[in-house]
Each structure stands twice: as structure tokens, then as C-alpha cells.
């Protein structure tokens, strides 16, 4: 990618993070930690990778994205809003009564959502099924699914991985947000999923390990996924929970807690400073 493209993605990731803070603060609830760790990915997917059309959210030949870790909807909503699927001004209505922005993605109410998710472990099965359906219908679209590293403790995840390999779904790409923390604490203490790359390779995946906050590495991983034939691809992203907000970074307590007014002001000040720094590059 060009230097200008990278700059634009970095700026968009800052804006996605600001949307996460706006949404969770407005809701007085939600999941900022894992939304922030995946914000660079959301920015890359919706502003570079995915073949989609905000003017036609149900376009039959679009690429599909399934947020298997559905609780990080604040990050996905921010990316969708910034991409033009719905007004950015609606983000603070997250989880409010009568708002279409529910706490977890709802494909029946939110433009751009390809699958309703929230019960962990199930989204990757849906995504693999979409990939097989696309193959059998002769479509060239690709399917992506984002999972949490705590989520992959679920057995159904591995059934879906076995399915994807069995059917040689090279149009399917699983992404693991390895921020090392889940609601109960460090993933290696709750129920260790490590070594994640080795497990995925054992299930027949082409595996790419990257820094999930480095756009050059993100781009290279997705290019490799598209070039891989005959087997599905998994991208394991090493990330920081709460990335971009100093007092949230690396803290399991921010898995499912909203910032209060003072914390909101501090977070937004930090993110605005980061955005200004990027825009000045």
C-alpha cells in the first residue's frame, strides 16, 4: 500500500476507536476492550479489503464478514457508520431502547451486518457455511470471520474449522484476535488455547501470524489468504486489549465496562491527539 493509503487507514482506525468510546459511553454498557483491539482490523476490512457497497447492503455478490465475537459490536458499528452504511451520529444510541444498534449484531436491523451473532463459538460455523454456499453457487465472493482468543475455547469453533478444511474452503478466512484477555482474566489462565497457530495448522489451515496493529502486516496476511488455494486461511493477530486508550490497554476489567463521563473525556482526548498526529504525518 502507498504511504497515503496507510495514513488514511491509521486515521480511520483512530475514528473507529472514537466511535467505540462514543457508543459504549452513550450506552453506559458494552465491550470496549476487544472492540479497540480489533479496530485496526475493522478499518482495514471496511476501507480496503471487503468488496461491498454501502448503497446496496444486500448486494448478492458482496464479500461477507461475520463478527463471531459479537460482543465487540461497538467496533463493527463504528466501521460501518464511517463507511456510510448508517449515520455516525447514531453510534451513541447503542443499546438504547428503540435503537436499531443492539448490544450484539442484528442482521435484521443494521445495514451491513451479514449475520446475527453473540452466542460465542457460533459465528465461525455460519461463516464457513456461507463460504460453502458461495462455492456451490459459483460466486467469487470471499467470507471472513473474526473470533476472540477466549472464544476459541468453544468446541464448536473447532468443528467449524474441521468443516472448512474438509470442504477446501479457500474462499474462507478466519481471523483470531489474540489480545490475551477475556472477561475472567488472561486466556492462558482461564483455559489456555495456546499454541493457537499450531492448532489451526493441525486442522489444515494455512496460518499467518501478524501484529494486528501493523497495517503492512495486515495487508500481507490478506494478500496471502487470497493467494492460497485448496485450504482455508487463518490469520492470528497479536493485539493489545483496549488499544489506543492508555488506561484501558492490557486491562481485563475493560472487557465489558463502559467509560464514565470523566473516563470518556480522557479517552476522547487521547484518541483525538492520536488522530491529529496521524493527520500531520
Amino acid at each position: 500500500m502507498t504511504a497515503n493509503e496507510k495514513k488514511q487507514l491509521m486515521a480511520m482506525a483512530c475514528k473507529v476507536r472514537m466511535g467505540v468510546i462514543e457508543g459504549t459511553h452513550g450506552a453506559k454498557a458494552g465491550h470496549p476492550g476487544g472492540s479497540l483491539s480489533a479496530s485496526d482490523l475493522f478499518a482495514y476490512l471496511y476501507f480496503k479489503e471487503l468488496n461491498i457497497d454501502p448503497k446496496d447492503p444486500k448486494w448478492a455478490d458482496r464479500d461477507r464478514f461475520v463478527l463471531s465475537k459479537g460482543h465487540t459490536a461497538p467496533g463493527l458499528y463504528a466501521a460501518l457508520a464511517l463507511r456510510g452504511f448508517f449515520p455516525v451520529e447514531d453510534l451513541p444510541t447503542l443499546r438504547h431502547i428503540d435503537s436499531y444498534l443492539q448490544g450484539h449484531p442484528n442482521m435484521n436491523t443494521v445495514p451491513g451486518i451479514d449475520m446475527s451473532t453473540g452466542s460465542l463459538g457460533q459465528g465461525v460455523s455460519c461463516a464457513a457455511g456461507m463460504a460453502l454456499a458461495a462455492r456451490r453457487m459459483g460466486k467469487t465472493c470471499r467470507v471472513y470471520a473474526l473470533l476472540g482468543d477466549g472464544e476459541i475455547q468453544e468446541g464448536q469453533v473447532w468443528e467449524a474449522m474441521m468443516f472448512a478444511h474438509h470442504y477446501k474452503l479457500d474462499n474462507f478466512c478466519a481471523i483470531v484476535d489474540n489480545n490475551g484477555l477475556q472477561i475472567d482474566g488472561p486466556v492462558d489462565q482461564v483455559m489456555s488455547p495456546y499454541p493457537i497457530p499450531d492448532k489451526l495448522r493441525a486442522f489444515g489451515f494455512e496460518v499467518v501470524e501478524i501484529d494486528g496493529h501493523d497495517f503492512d502486516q495486515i495487508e500481507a496476511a490478506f494478500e496471502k489468504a487470497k493467494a492460497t488455494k485448496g485450504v482455508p486461511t487463518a490469520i492470528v493477530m497479536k493485539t493489545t486489549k483496549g488499544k489506543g486508550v492508555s488506561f484501558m490497554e492490557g486491562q481485563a476489567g475493560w472487557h465489558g465496562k463502559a467509560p464514565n463521563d470523566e473516563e470518556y473525556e480522557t479517552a476522547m482526548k487521547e484518541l483525538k491527539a492520536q488522530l491529529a498526529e496521524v493527520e500531520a504525518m
Side-chain angles (χ1 to χ4, degrees):
M1 75 180 73
T2 66
N4 189 55
E5 286 176 329
K6 186 191 294 189
K7 176 181 175 179
Q8 290 177 342
L9 287 171
M10 292 171 67
M12 198 54 62
C14 287
K15 293 178 182 179
V16 170
R17 291 187 167 97
M18 291 166 70
V20 169
I21 300 303
E22 290 284 4
T24 53
H25 175 256
K28 308 304 180 194
H31 298 78
S35 295
L36 294 169
S37 67
S39 290
D40 298 293
L41 175 73
F42 289 135
Y44 188 87
L45 283 172
Y46 283 92
F47 289 88
K48 187 168 176 62
E49 182 67 21
L50 295 178
N51 185 21
I52 51 176
D53 182 1
K55 296 179 181 178
D56 186 9
K58 296 296 184 181
W59 175 39
D61 293 326
R62 71 190 183 279
D63 288 340
R64 267 71 169 179
F65 174 68
V66 177
L67 183 63
S68 194
K69 59 167 195 166
H71 55 278
T72 58
L76 176 56
Y77 291 160
L80 287 169
L82 290 163
R83 187 67 171 81
F85 282 90
F86 55 85
V88 173
E89 292 74 22
D90 289 353
L91 292 176
T93 72
L94 174 70
R95 291 176 175 248
H96 287 201
I97 293 175
D98 296 329
S99 173
Y100 62 100
L101 300 178
Q102 298 182 18
H104 294 78
N106 185 338
M107 64 191 294
N108 298 311
T109 63
V110 184
I113 297 295
D114 292 315
M115 178 54 61
S116 301
T117 56
S119 184
L120 293 176
Q122 297 183 0
V124 67
S125 294
C126 299
M130 290 176 180
L132 180 60
R135 162 85 58 75
R136 293 189 171 178
M137 295 172 70
K139 294 185 178 296
T140 59
C141 60
R142 295 184 57 78
V143 183
Y144 302 87
L146 177 64
L147 302 95
D149 50 5
E151 179 183 9
I152 64 173
Q153 296 160 349
E154 298 269 4
Q156 182 176 341
V157 167
W158 300 100
E159 293 181 59
M161 298 304 191
M162 182 166 58
F163 175 96
H165 176 258
H166 177 79
Y167 287 102
K168 299 178 173 61
L169 300 180
D170 52 19
N171 59 339
F172 171 62
C173 180
I175 308 147
V176 179
D177 184 7
N178 183 202
N179 61 38
L181 296 169
Q182 60 190 106
I183 192 168
D184 291 325
V187 295
D188 61 350
Q189 295 179 24
V190 177
M191 178 65 71
S192 178
Y194 299 118
I196 297 171
D198 290 351
K199 286 184 169 67
L200 289 162
R201 291 188 183 101
F203 274 74
F205 276 66
E206 179 69 30
V207 178
V208 188
E209 301 175 62
I210 65 170
D211 176 345
H213 304 307
D214 184 316
F215 283 111
D216 289 320
Q217 292 187 35
I218 294 172
E219 179 183 51
F222 280 105
E223 289 303 311
K224 184 171 185 178
K226 286 181 289 202
T228 297
K229 303 301 178 186
V231 296
T233 298
I235 299 171
V236 181
M237 308 189 307
K238 188 65 179 176
T239 62
T240 300
K241 192 133 185 166
K243 178 70 173 179
V245 178
S246 62
F247 60 88
M248 293 186 181
E249 288 190 355
Q251 302 298 315
W254 285 102
H255 175 92
K257 181 176 71 171
N260 60 29
D261 291 347
E262 181 180 352
E263 292 163 339
Y264 165 83
E265 293 295 339
T266 300
M268 291 300 287
K269 182 179 180 180
E270 290 184 5
L271 290 169
K272 287 176 181 177
Q274 292 170 32
L275 179 59
E277 184 178 345
V278 170
E279 291 178 337
M281 291 172 59

